[in-house]
Amino acid sequence: MELLRKWLGHPEDIYNLLRFKMGGYRAVMPRVDPDSLGCGLRTCYRYLNQTSRSFAAVIQALDGELRHAVCIFYLVLRALDTVEDDMSIPLHVKVPMLQEFHSYLYQPEWKYVESKEKDRQVLEDFPTISMEFRNLSKVYQDVISDICHKMGVGMAEFLEKKVDSQHEWDKYCHYVAGLVGIGLSRLFSASELEDSIVGQDTELANSMGLFLQKTNIIRDYLEDQMEGREFWPREVWSRYAQKLSDLAKPENIEMAVQCLNELITNALHHVPDVLTYLSRLRNQSVFNFCAIPQVMAIATLAACYNNKQVFRGVVKIRKGQAVTLMMDATNIQAVKAIMYQYVEEIYQKIPSTDPSSNKTQQVIASIRAMSLPGSSLASRHHYSPIYLSCAMLLAALSWQYLSTLSKATEEYVQAGEN
């Protein structure tokens, strides 16, 4: 019944969950027909679906040959990331592996079979992935190899040092996510589905990655602490606690929330770049691919802002909310309306005593200036009394059915993926 009460409070979620389940998902993430692929590509798409909860669906919705290029790009970086995450690989082995990983793309027999990580199949069967990489057009190969090289070098740099300053936080996020945004942008332009400026403007592309990565790092504080990882910048958290782990102690919760709010404010500075980047996109499949994770991120930050639960458990957006965002974020005006909605939600929660309150208000003002509400915002949230009554009745009749939504849908709408 708790689930039913949540749905009754958000009737638009009920409507969109049903619409999504009954075919609406095809508009934002149609799937690849495996029978149309060769054996190697079929294997690669199987690995994609096994290793990605959220990106698999939107990758498979991309148009033409760009879809295969991005699939291979993802798997190459997943393999690289698996090496970085594997604590069973000694540093004297791991560092050169990361630095030289891009060269393995041109070594048909190279593979690594000693990994203990859950995604080890992308290393054990790397010959299949590298073969499909070499089958791509050279323009795609050059981008993927270059980004893989830069990312591997960056990962090796941060293996033995923690993130201290905010500058180093930006640098770390650039290596693990900003470079992904830059590489994807270059692939979009190489495919000629997007203008050359999209791939050339690396600053905007970098911001796309940093906004997502910082959101994940902020949200995953407790999970990272439990697994012995620290990604919050010392320059910030040291003003609130002696150790980063101290923020999880009940007696420190007020200071912990202030630290959280400061980091969210930092992440919000990337939103104007995100909106400028998205406004340049022309291809619908590319727009959906880029916009959906960004609106998920702003919704996640709104849920985390000034929220003690970040230090006690997992903060997630509702599945119905995620589906609504996916189905709405199909054009720039709708995305601006969504951004406006969630920064207003944050604005309403700013404590007057918060040390970052002035900075938070300032960055929200800059986002407001770029995303003033219009018809898109009104259309997303105007529900007539008759609609609301029908939606509530539908919720009462359908809650049991909706709880059995397909696994693919459930996995996709889990907000955020590292």
Side-chain angles (χ1 to χ4, degrees):
M1 292 303 294
E2 178 62 27
L3 184 60
L4 177 57
R5 282 193 292 271
K6 288 182 180 179
W7 282 338
L8 287 172
H10 302 276
E12 71 277 15
D13 289 358
I14 298 295
Y15 172 71
N16 282 319
L17 273 168
L18 279 173
R19 189 157 63 103
F20 188 84
K21 177 65 176 176
M22 293 188 294
Y25 62 89
R26 296 189 186 95
V28 289
M29 52 180 204
R31 296 183 67 82
V32 172
D33 178 10
D35 293 336
S36 66
L37 306 174
C39 180
L41 272 177
R42 277 203 304 273
T43 299
C44 287
Y45 278 102
R46 186 174 77 249
Y47 291 154
L48 175 66
N49 284 292
Q50 289 172 351
T51 58
S52 170
R53 291 179 305 177
S54 57
F55 290 125
V58 284
I59 287 173
Q60 291 174 90
L62 288 168
D63 289 340
E65 62 183 16
L66 177 62
R67 179 190 307 137
H68 301 326
V70 174
C71 173
I72 300 306
F73 185 41
Y74 176 89
L75 291 177
V76 168
L77 298 188
R78 173 58 66 190
L80 180 68
D81 191 55
T82 302
V83 171
E84 183 201 25
D85 287 344
D86 195 332
M87 303 306 293
S88 70
I89 305 175
L91 282 180
H92 72 274
V93 175
K94 183 183 292 190
V95 169
M97 276 183 72
L98 292 173
Q99 294 172 335
E100 298 168 13
F101 201 87
H102 66 289
S103 68
Y104 304 151
L105 292 167
Y106 299 97
Q107 299 177 29
E109 304 303 320
W110 187 90
K111 59 184 176 181
Y112 186 76
V113 296
E114 299 177 22
S115 176
K116 303 297 188 293
E117 290 292 298
K118 61 181 177 62
D119 293 333
R120 59 185 176 272
Q121 70 264 37
V122 294
L123 291 171
E124 294 172 347
D125 192 20
F126 198 74
T128 297
I129 296 170
S130 67
M131 176 185 69
E132 292 303 330
F133 163 82
R134 294 187 299 276
N135 286 338
L136 295 172
S137 299
K138 188 176 185 301
V139 287
Y140 298 133
Q141 290 185 38
D142 290 345
V143 172
I144 295 171
S145 177
D146 180 51
I147 297 298
C148 182
H149 184 200
K150 291 174 179 175
M151 187 177 291
V153 170
M155 286 177 168
E157 177 183 335
F158 276 90
L159 276 180
E160 294 188 279
K161 75 175 184 180
K162 293 185 177 181
V163 178
D164 285 327
S165 67
Q166 294 185 66
H167 172 74
E168 285 183 335
W169 198 37
D170 281 354
K171 189 176 182 182
Y172 171 77
C173 291
H174 164 73
Y175 282 140
V176 300
L179 283 171
V180 179
I182 292 169
L184 286 169
S185 300
R186 289 169 60 188
L187 292 177
F188 299 156
S189 294
S191 72
E192 299 185 352
L193 293 176
E194 297 296 345
D195 293 338
S196 59
I197 186 63
V198 172
Q200 292 168 356
D201 196 333
T202 56
E203 184 175 347
L204 292 188
N206 188 58
S207 282
M208 292 284 284
L210 263 60
F211 185 57
L212 299 183
Q213 186 66 20
K214 288 182 177 181
T215 298
N216 288 339
I217 287 173
I218 291 166
R219 180 202 61 199
D220 293 343
Y221 164 84
L222 194 61
E223 178 184 329
D224 287 337
Q225 280 293 302
M226 293 173 65
E227 297 188 12
R229 301 189 298 254
E230 294 190 356
F231 299 113
W232 285 24
R234 178 186 294 271
E235 179 184 343
V236 175
W237 64 255
S238 63
R239 293 197 290 268
Y240 301 93
Q242 291 188 341
K243 295 186 298 182
L244 182 55
S245 58
D246 289 344
L247 295 178
K249 297 178 179 178
E251 63 268 26
N252 297 329
I253 192 62
E254 182 177 344
M255 298 295 281
V257 169
Q258 291 177 359
C259 181
L260 168 72
N261 291 347
E262 182 173 346
L263 290 181
I264 290 176
T265 300
N266 177 295
L268 289 174
H269 280 88
H270 298 293
V271 173
D273 279 355
V274 168
L275 291 174
T276 301
Y277 181 98
L278 293 174
S279 70
R280 290 176 173 173
L281 301 180
R282 298 292 175 261
N283 178 270
Q284 187 65 58
S285 73
V286 172
F287 186 90
N288 293 349
F289 176 88
C290 295
I292 289 171
Q294 302 295 332
V295 296
M296 296 285 193
I298 192 69
T300 299
L301 289 184
C304 289
Y305 185 81
N306 209 49
N307 189 347
K308 299 175 182 178
Q309 188 61 26
V310 172
F311 303 96
R312 298 170 177 168
V314 180
V315 175
K316 293 182 179 180
I317 61 177
R318 304 180 309 275
K319 291 184 177 68
Q321 181 184 6
V323 166
T324 297
L325 290 171
M326 280 195 294
M327 299 187 74
D328 281 358
T330 57
N331 62 77
I332 187 61
Q333 291 307 317
V335 170
K336 287 181 177 180
I338 292 167
M339 292 290 188
Y340 187 95
Q341 171 194 340
Y342 285 110
V343 296
E344 285 300 302
E345 186 177 311
I346 292 172
Y347 183 83
Q348 295 301 321
K349 294 193 291 186
I350 299 174
S352 59
T353 56
D354 191 273
S356 303
S357 60
N358 288 338
K359 290 182 179 179
T360 311
Q361 290 168 358
Q362 289 170 7
V363 69
I364 286 177
S366 68
I367 298 170
R368 281 172 172 163
M370 295 187 69
S371 55
L372 291 175
S375 58
S376 297
L377 183 65
S379 66
R380 292 186 70 248
H381 295 283
H382 177 72
Y383 300 101
S384 69
I386 292 177
Y387 168 79
L388 289 172
S389 298
C390 292
M392 289 185 203
L393 177 60
L394 185 60
L397 294 173
S398 306
W399 72 275
Q400 183 66 45
Y401 167 73
L402 287 171
S403 67
T404 61
L405 284 172
S406 69
K407 182 179 179 182
T409 301
E410 180 177 348
E411 289 180 343
Y412 180 78
V413 300
Q414 295 292 333
E417 175 181 34
N418 289 333

